[in-house]
Amino acid sequence: MAKLFVLYEHAAGFGLFSVNEFEEVSMLLPQVEASVTDLSRFNAIVKLVSFSPFKTAVSALENANAVSEGILPQDLAVFLDTALPVKKKKVTLGVADSKIGAAIVEALGIQCSHTGAVPEILRGIRMHFASMVKGFTPKSAGVAQLGLGHSYSRAKVKFNVHRSDNMIIQSIALLDLLDKDINTFSMRIREWYSYHFPELVKIVPDNHMYAKVAQYIKDRKSLTQESVAELEEILMDTEKAQAIIDASKMSMGMDISVVDLMNIQMFAGRVVRLSDYRKQLAEYLHSKMGNVAPNLQSLIGDQVGARLISKAGSLTNLAKYPASTVQILGAEKALFRALKTRTNTPKYGLLYHSTYIGRAGVKNKGRISRFLANKCAIASRIDCFTEAPSNVFGDALKQQVEDRLKFYESGEPPRKNTEVMEEAMALNDELQGQL
């Protein structure tokens, strides 16, 4: 029968506990849950075998970072090797996280478990840890936890500071919000100013241009033939400028007061400034995507790439996703509805907004979506894990998607993936050599 030991990671160090009568304990899980709160009953089941304190705060932080990432730190490996019995095949080690359990199995060959009675036992250890370790008090435990908590949080905030994908997430969210707001405000100014000059809507359909022209015109009766040059400068079109002058002379709009015109002008100015800021924000997003995810940017553009990163939560999360997840990212509701009603699952999510899906034929939309998702997954992984970002691979992947579109349309066979990637790697090495 395998003997159960439980590993507990505390801010002060690693603790190893033995569990008596494990088979009986796992069968009587409700009784274990009840005994967790009572120290005397809990001590009858769980005993401290060994405790290895961290020597310094730096060592504590390094071990905490490693354990949180599912990596077996050297200190923990040595501790388990010395504290556990020699015959490790007859030992089961209870752990809190399956990731660190998998790392221990791979490195030391010790069977690990994180289910059954283990979570309840760990809960009891966490509750009574200060009482179970000699020379340890709740106050010293609190100090250790507070110190490590601050250091760990600070390290997480500083982690990967150069890959500012958080800025991309905030930028694309603000960009989407601005698009909605500018559209709403533009519709409001169209309705408002149309009381005075209704013909202008048909001549200038563009929202941004309409706001600019309305801000310039003010009272339509003030327009003369001399205003054509300034209107042409705004619209970049002589015919439209002349059409506005002609329409103003025969307009059926009502006359409005100076105060109303002033309010319309101020509101139009705000809309124009918002539109200008939206352009600046788009340029900022373009530069950020070029720094953080140049290959993804080259492949599917700034906004679609940024939306994928935003939906995934970070570039690292996106890089961890399989291509099948990337393909339907953004269509979760449709996916679960399809699974629930047993109908066809969606072929694409956010990737639908890329130009490739629209250019493909109806029969090939699903195929090109799957192929594009595959290339996006590759591009995001290159961007996430490369030390010197460049858009060489993104351009190569983009050309592969273009070739695949041609293949669906004309049957022209595309180049093999190995050839394209070898060529891209050679070009990337050459560029890195020049830098």
Side-chain angles (χ1 to χ4, degrees):
M1 185 175 71
K3 175 76 174 172
L4 176 66
F5 291 85
V6 176
L7 173 68
Y8 178 62
E9 306 103 6
H10 192 268
F14 296 115
L16 188 68
F17 297 81
S18 64
V19 182
N20 299 327
E21 303 168 348
F22 170 52
E23 293 295 331
E24 296 175 16
V25 165
S26 60
M27 289 171 67
L28 302 171
L29 191 57
Q31 286 85 336
V32 175
E33 292 175 6
S35 68
V36 160
T37 53
D38 187 359
L39 179 59
S40 58
R41 291 173 65 187
F42 189 71
N43 270 333
I45 301 172
V46 180
K47 300 283 185 185
L48 176 67
V49 175
S50 181
F51 177 65
S52 174
F54 297 128
K55 294 177 182 178
T56 61
V58 175
S59 173
L61 179 60
E62 287 174 355
N63 281 281
N65 279 326
V67 169
S68 69
E69 295 292 327
I71 301 166
L72 180 65
Q74 185 65 29
D75 293 349
L76 180 56
V78 172
F79 170 64
L80 290 175
D81 199 36
T82 53
L84 286 170
V86 178
K87 295 181 179 179
K88 294 184 172 57
K89 289 185 178 178
K90 294 185 177 180
V91 168
T92 300
L93 183 65
V95 292
D97 187 16
S98 59
K99 290 181 182 177
I100 192 68
I104 291 169
V105 171
E106 188 179 343
L108 304 177
I110 301 168
Q111 183 184 350
C112 292
S113 173
H114 66 282
T115 56
V118 172
E120 285 302 319
I121 292 167
L122 280 167
R123 186 164 72 90
I125 293 170
R126 191 179 301 113
M127 188 178 294
H128 305 298
F129 185 74
S131 305
M132 298 176 81
V133 179
K134 288 182 180 179
F136 211 60
T137 62
K139 186 177 179 181
S140 59
V143 170
Q145 287 171 338
L146 186 65
L148 181 60
H150 283 172
S151 302
Y152 181 76
S153 301
R154 201 174 292 118
K156 280 292 180 186
V157 169
K158 288 182 179 177
F159 178 69
N160 222 358
V161 70
H162 298 295
R163 306 245 181 218
S164 47
D165 48 1
N166 285 334
M167 304 303 162
I168 290 173
I169 293 169
Q170 297 300 328
S171 297
I172 192 63
L174 180 56
L175 204 62
D176 290 341
L177 189 64
L178 277 174
D179 283 337
K180 289 179 183 176
D181 289 346
I182 289 169
N183 190 43
T184 305
F185 294 157
S186 298
M187 291 305 295
R188 180 62 52 216
I189 199 167
R190 279 166 177 265
E191 288 183 27
W192 200 357
Y193 194 63
S194 289
Y195 289 126
H196 178 62
F197 195 177
E199 294 81 7
L200 187 62
V201 174
K202 291 183 179 179
I203 302 169
V204 187
D206 181 69
N207 289 336
H208 181 61
M209 285 295 178
Y210 186 92
K212 275 189 169 182
V213 171
Q215 186 187 16
Y216 167 74
I217 294 173
K218 302 179 193 70
D219 188 353
R220 68 170 192 275
K221 292 178 181 177
S222 64
L223 287 176
T224 61
Q225 200 61 37
E226 296 172 359
S227 306
V228 173
E230 292 181 15
L231 283 170
E232 186 182 343
E233 192 177 334
I234 296 169
L235 294 166
M236 305 299 290
D237 190 330
T238 311
E239 292 181 4
K240 283 186 179 180
Q242 188 59 50
I244 290 171
I245 299 294
D246 295 341
S248 67
K249 294 174 182 177
M250 299 179 291
S251 177
M252 57 186 291
M254 61 182 279
D255 292 333
I256 54 178
S257 66
V258 176
V259 177
D260 294 333
L261 282 172
M262 282 177 64
N263 278 284
I264 292 171
Q265 185 190 2
M266 286 170 63
F267 185 49
R270 293 289 176 90
V271 175
V272 169
R273 285 196 295 276
L274 267 180
S275 298
D276 292 338
Y277 174 64
R278 195 250 177 229
K279 288 179 182 177
Q280 291 175 12
L281 190 64
E283 290 172 5
Y284 168 75
L285 180 64
H286 178 77
S287 66
K288 275 292 173 187
M289 283 293 290
N291 294 331
V292 177
N295 292 298
L296 196 63
Q297 179 192 39
S298 297
L299 179 59
I300 54 172
D302 300 323
Q303 295 196 23
V304 180
R307 286 194 179 96
L308 285 176
I309 293 171
S310 178
K311 191 69 180 176
S314 69
L315 181 61
T316 307
N317 287 352
L318 183 62
K320 290 176 182 176
Y321 284 166
S324 57
T325 304
V326 175
Q327 182 181 349
I328 58 167
L329 206 62
E332 289 82 7
K333 284 185 180 179
L335 173 66
F336 292 121
R337 185 170 61 246
L339 292 173
K340 189 176 180 181
T341 56
R342 296 184 180 180
T343 53
N344 292 333
T345 53
K347 295 176 183 175
Y348 29 67
L350 291 169
L351 289 180
Y352 181 77
H353 298 289
S354 68
T355 56
Y356 307 110
I357 308 295
R359 287 161 53 193
V362 178
K363 292 181 180 179
N364 298 321
K365 284 185 186 294
R367 293 178 182 176
I368 201 67
S369 175
R370 190 164 57 250
F371 187 79
L372 181 60
N374 184 19
K375 299 306 173 187
C376 285
I378 293 170
S380 61
R381 287 165 194 170
I382 294 169
D383 288 329
C384 183
F385 300 112
T386 188
E387 293 181 1
S390 69
N391 63 348
V392 173
F393 290 100
D395 291 337
L397 294 170
K398 182 179 180 181
Q399 188 57 48
Q400 280 190 299
V401 179
E402 294 283 358
D403 291 345
R404 185 56 59 118
L405 275 172
K406 287 181 184 176
F407 171 68
Y408 290 147
E409 290 171 5
S410 61
E412 182 184 337
R415 293 173 63 195
K416 288 186 178 179
N417 187 55
T418 50
E419 292 178 11
V420 176
M421 288 296 106
E422 283 173 4
E423 189 179 304
M425 287 174 69
L427 182 58
N428 186 57
D429 291 340
E430 186 182 333
L431 287 173
Q432 296 305 323
Q434 290 175 2
L435 295 173

